[in-house]
Amino acid sequence: MRKMALSLIPFVALAFAGCNSSSSSSDGAPASASTAGAAKVANEVSGTVTLRAPVQPLSPKASLSIKVVDVSSTADASAPPLALKLITPATQFPLPFTLNFDPTKVKPNDIYVVQAELNDGDRHYVMKIQALVLTNGNKNDGVNIELSSEPTAGEKVLAAFTDVQKQLGAMKVKSGTKLDKDVSRSWQVFRQDNDLKFIRELVDYGAKGFTSTDYAYKNGKPWVIVQQTKPNQGAKPTAIDRAGWDDNGNLVLKQHEVNGNVQPLDDSAASSLRKQATDVQALATGSK
């Protein structure tokens, strides 16, 4: 009997070994099943960038920045993006993209988005809707990015100027004229709450042409100027110059338009318009 008991020991040891090899993982599932069910983390995000109409012609300096970033509340704001790509020049849209990264750096419980921005001089195109990727069941391919143009600083100033024009009928107005040897000019001064807001000036240079100029003022200083140059008062403009300054005195609106074609206005031409605004202000209001 003793000999038989000793002979059973190797079989018992094997049985225990078999039990240990099929032990459960920490979450209660078999280790082999847990490994097989682990989600595979992507190592790239791909899609297409489009521009929302209307689209201004893009210059060779247009640059597209596109990246994948962690926007979780616990994410380190100073950490570099998971992936980043710069495309210059970016002039042909729709534009496909692929962003590669190290999948081991993806945190399954964090929130990741694609961020894109197109810059072309003063004009910026930005995303209005976030593109979620990587985690929480969001897709990683076929991601559609739509960029919309933001108004430039010059366009914002011009829009504000147009709003002031629409309010002229509610302002107090005072008229004046001046006749020189070869030049005839007239003007209207518009005030609101006794503050100078606007001066409209018509200048007839005889055979040399005619100008119609709207000057808007802010805090007593020239703010936005729009000048139309014509062969005579009844003719269509041959050119329209627009200049405007922000609250810090920076020239942000600078347009020279001929036959619908808009080009940048020279700084010297903008300075000349600003001087005209100061001169007509002194003439029309008696200020110095």
Side-chain angles (χ1 to χ4, degrees):
M1 293 295 292
R2 179 179 177 81
K3 184 176 181 180
M4 183 181 294
L6 290 173
S7 64
L8 291 175
I9 292 176
F11 295 99
V12 175
L14 288 173
F16 276 107
C19 291
N20 289 336
S21 65
S22 61
S23 62
S24 299
S25 63
S26 60
D27 60 0
S32 58
S34 177
T35 303
K40 182 180 179 180
V41 179
N43 63 352
E44 69 176 32
V45 169
S46 61
T48 304
V49 179
T50 60
L51 301 183
R52 185 174 182 178
V55 179
Q56 299 291 332
L58 296 171
S59 76
K61 295 182 179 180
S63 176
L64 175 68
S65 168
I66 184 165
K67 56 189 176 181
V68 178
V69 296
D70 188 342
V71 295
S72 305
S73 59
T74 56
D76 182 359
S78 63
L82 186 65
L84 171 65
K85 179 175 286 189
L86 298 175
I87 302 174
T88 303
T91 56
Q92 299 296 323
F93 289 86
L95 192 154
F97 70 89
T98 299
L99 298 172
N100 301 102
F101 48 85
D102 182 355
T104 64
K105 294 184 178 180
V106 177
K107 300 176 182 178
N109 296 323
D110 282 9
I111 302 172
Y112 294 88
V113 299
V114 176
Q115 292 181 348
E117 182 176 1
L118 176 66
N119 295 305
D120 188 15
D122 294 334
R123 188 169 299 282
H124 305 283
Y125 296 80
V126 298
M127 297 172 62
K128 300 299 184 183
I129 302 176
Q130 289 193 106
L132 294 163
V133 293
L134 290 178
T135 56
N136 301 310
N138 293 299
K139 67 179 183 179
N140 308 314
D141 58 353
V143 179
N144 294 318
I145 304 295
E146 185 180 67
L147 300 180
S148 300
S149 174
E150 287 193 323
T152 65
E155 288 170 343
K156 292 178 181 178
V157 163
L158 186 58
F161 167 83
T162 302
D163 287 342
V164 173
Q165 279 185 316
K166 294 176 180 179
Q167 300 171 24
L168 294 181
M171 298 183 189
K172 293 183 178 180
V173 57
K174 184 177 180 179
S175 302
T177 60
K178 184 180 180 182
L179 181 62
D180 293 325
K181 179 180 179 182
D182 299 315
V183 179
S184 174
R185 69 180 69 232
S186 62
W187 59 82
Q188 291 178 305
V189 179
F190 297 85
R191 294 182 180 273
Q192 188 175 55
D193 298 329
N194 208 36
D195 290 333
L196 174 65
K197 294 293 184 181
F198 210 90
I199 295 178
R200 176 165 290 163
E201 181 190 41
L202 305 178
V203 183
D204 191 344
Y205 297 94
K208 294 182 179 180
F210 185 93
T211 60
S212 173
T213 311
D214 284 348
Y215 305 92
Y217 299 83
K218 183 181 286 188
N219 299 323
K221 296 180 180 180
W223 171 45
V224 181
I225 304 164
V226 177
Q227 183 172 84
Q228 300 181 49
T229 301
K230 311 176 182 182
N232 55 69
Q233 185 171 3
K236 294 182 178 180
T238 56
I240 302 175
D241 290 336
R242 303 178 183 91
W245 295 263
D246 64 16
D247 292 341
N248 296 319
N250 299 312
L251 179 65
V252 294
L253 173 62
K254 38 187 176 181
Q255 297 179 353
H256 175 68
E257 179 179 347
V258 178
N259 297 325
N261 182 26
V262 180
Q263 299 292 333
L265 180 69
D266 292 339
D267 288 349
S268 60
S271 296
S272 178
L273 287 174
R274 190 179 180 94
K275 184 178 184 306
Q276 289 180 35
T278 302
D279 291 344
V280 73
Q281 178 183 4
L283 175 65
T285 66
S287 61
K288 296 182 180 180

